[in-house]
Amino acid sequence: MKPEDTAVVLVEPAPVPVVRQHNAITQARYDYTACQLDIFFYLLSRLRRDDTADQEYTIYVKDVEALTGRQWNYQQLREATADMGSRMFEVENERTYQQLWMFQRVEYIKGKGCLQIQLAAPIRPFLFNLKENFTSYQLHSALKLSSKYAKRIYQLVSQWKDKASTRTYPLDEFKQMLHLKDPKGKEPELFQNISQLKARVLDIAVRQVTEHTDLKINYELVKKGRAYDAVRFTIARQQPQQLPIPFEQPSEDARANAARQSLEALGITQPQLVATILGDPKHLDQLFKFTYQLKTDKVKATKNPGGLFLKICGLR
């Protein structure tokens, strides 16, 4: 059985072109946090077709922080991977029904700030098929999105990036995919009011995806009678706002490039200062922390953020 012949069955779906049905993981119903989706997309970026079945993938926490601008502590990551490992994906076709799990093993290396992940063999083909929907830039973009719903919707619309729009998703199916509604009715439905769904999910996703990725998207709510019944997304290509950090680079090179970009954004371009900061791991840690705090308004420095950073480092 080929993975591209399978599809996740959640509710009775509208007819979908066969080429879109291979992506069982995108269509599945699951609720990953922003932290879990960061791990998921970063892991996806590391997959290579020539990987062995027992391949281990090393993720350095500081690399994820450098790419996303967000900080995750060790406890958050441990809880995130534990929960991800316990989640089941249901994949069904006319002949079979499968229950799949993500990880074979996750190992945290103490004192090195990294974790090693070994994927469960049965899920690997589905992840490789999913990766084919993304370029290296798009995976980098997905890591930049802060809303977990924006990440999931970007994952969804990327399946249709060669079209002007996605298919029309019944709202029940769409909500189940984003874990806003339990198909068995055992959990309370989130954002039942359409204005809540627009404000808390759709509007945020449209803004973030359009601002941070190569896709400009919008949505259309479709009525059946007097009530909204379905949603579809329109898609247009746009020029990337900035060059991505290639995932193919070695870990240390990617971190150095991210640091150079952050320094340039702060207006710190003097070669000697740049070399001093890049050559000191403590300065680099301070740089990523400062950049994160600046983006999240935990540090106020509207006039001269670069000068404030240099002062914090004792370089001015």
Side-chain angles (χ1 to χ4, degrees):
M1 180 186 65
K2 297 181 179 179
E4 53 265 39
D5 294 331
T6 65
V8 172
V9 178
L10 300 174
V11 295
E12 284 295 323
V16 188
V18 174
V19 70
R20 304 296 173 186
Q21 290 188 348
H22 74 284
N23 198 338
I25 301 302
T26 294
Q27 304 292 348
R29 171 185 176 269
Y30 62 91
D31 182 26
Y32 275 2
T33 65
C35 179
Q36 290 170 329
L37 285 167
D38 280 351
I39 294 171
F40 180 72
F41 281 114
Y42 192 87
L43 180 63
L44 200 64
S45 74
R46 306 301 297 270
L47 298 179
R48 302 290 180 269
R49 280 292 179 186
D50 57 354
D51 290 346
T52 60
D54 58 351
Q55 183 79 35
E56 290 184 348
Y57 301 93
T58 301
I59 297 178
Y60 287 90
V61 178
K62 288 180 180 178
D63 285 350
V64 179
E65 290 178 350
L67 287 166
T68 63
R70 291 182 294 278
Q71 291 181 308
W72 305 115
N73 63 44
Y74 230 44
Q75 187 59 33
Q76 285 175 305
L77 291 170
R78 290 181 64 174
E79 292 174 359
T81 53
D83 187 58
M84 290 171 73
S86 68
R87 296 297 177 95
M88 179 185 72
F89 294 92
E90 299 175 276
V91 182
E92 186 172 0
N93 64 13
E94 293 180 355
R95 294 175 297 167
T96 66
Y97 164 77
Q98 295 183 67
Q99 296 177 334
L100 304 173
W101 286 265
M102 185 71 70
F103 301 138
Q104 176 71 27
R105 182 179 63 87
V106 179
E107 182 176 355
Y108 284 82
I109 311 301
K110 296 180 180 179
K112 292 190 176 181
C114 69
L115 56 151
Q116 292 180 337
I117 291 175
Q118 187 176 352
L119 295 169
I123 206 167
R124 289 172 60 85
F126 297 101
L127 296 182
F128 278 109
N129 283 335
L130 173 57
K131 185 178 179 179
E132 290 176 359
N133 284 336
F134 297 96
T135 65
S136 180
Y137 178 84
Q138 290 168 328
L139 285 166
H140 176 266
S141 299
L143 286 164
K144 287 291 185 183
L145 305 173
S146 60
S147 163
K148 67 178 183 179
Y149 301 125
K151 289 176 184 286
R152 285 287 277 128
I153 288 172
Y154 181 60
Q155 187 181 12
L156 183 68
V157 298
S158 289
Q159 286 186 278
W160 301 87
K161 60 183 180 285
D162 56 334
K163 305 291 183 181
S165 68
T166 67
R167 73 174 175 91
T168 299
Y169 294 92
L171 280 180
D172 278 351
E173 179 185 351
F174 177 72
K175 287 184 174 183
Q176 288 167 22
M177 288 169 61
L178 269 64
H179 206 268
L180 300 174
K181 184 175 183 177
D182 182 359
K184 297 180 180 179
K186 295 181 179 180
E187 302 173 11
E189 181 179 344
L190 299 177
F191 314 133
Q192 295 184 48
N193 187 295
I194 199 69
S195 62
Q196 291 179 323
L197 182 67
K198 290 172 65 176
R200 303 287 294 276
V201 177
L202 296 171
D203 290 344
I204 292 174
V206 165
R207 184 176 69 251
Q208 290 194 8
V209 170
T210 300
E211 286 180 0
H212 297 293
T213 80
D214 61 326
L215 300 180
K216 181 178 182 180
I217 69 168
N218 212 328
Y219 64 89
E220 300 172 1
L221 288 166
V222 182
K223 279 189 173 181
K224 185 177 183 180
R226 303 178 67 178
Y228 289 107
D229 179 66
V231 62
R232 63 175 168 263
F233 295 89
T234 58
I235 308 165
R237 301 288 188 115
Q238 62 178 356
Q239 277 296 113
Q241 299 297 313
Q242 58 182 341
L243 291 174
I245 301 168
F247 285 110
E248 288 74 16
Q249 286 182 294
S251 173
E252 289 303 315
D253 288 348
R255 192 165 187 247
N257 276 353
R260 287 191 182 92
Q261 290 182 7
S262 295
L263 290 172
E264 186 175 346
L266 292 172
I268 301 172
T269 58
Q270 185 179 343
Q272 186 175 352
L273 270 177
V274 171
T276 298
I277 294 167
L278 293 179
D280 188 330
K282 290 183 179 179
H283 288 335
L284 284 177
D285 289 344
Q286 287 175 320
L287 173 62
F288 292 128
K289 181 179 180 180
F290 181 80
T291 302
Y292 170 76
Q293 291 176 334
L294 200 62
K295 288 180 179 178
T296 55
D297 292 326
K298 293 181 180 179
V299 167
K300 304 291 183 181
T302 54
K303 293 184 177 180
N304 186 12
L308 177 58
F309 170 71
L310 293 174
K311 186 176 180 180
I312 291 172
C313 289
L315 299 175
R316 173 173 290 184

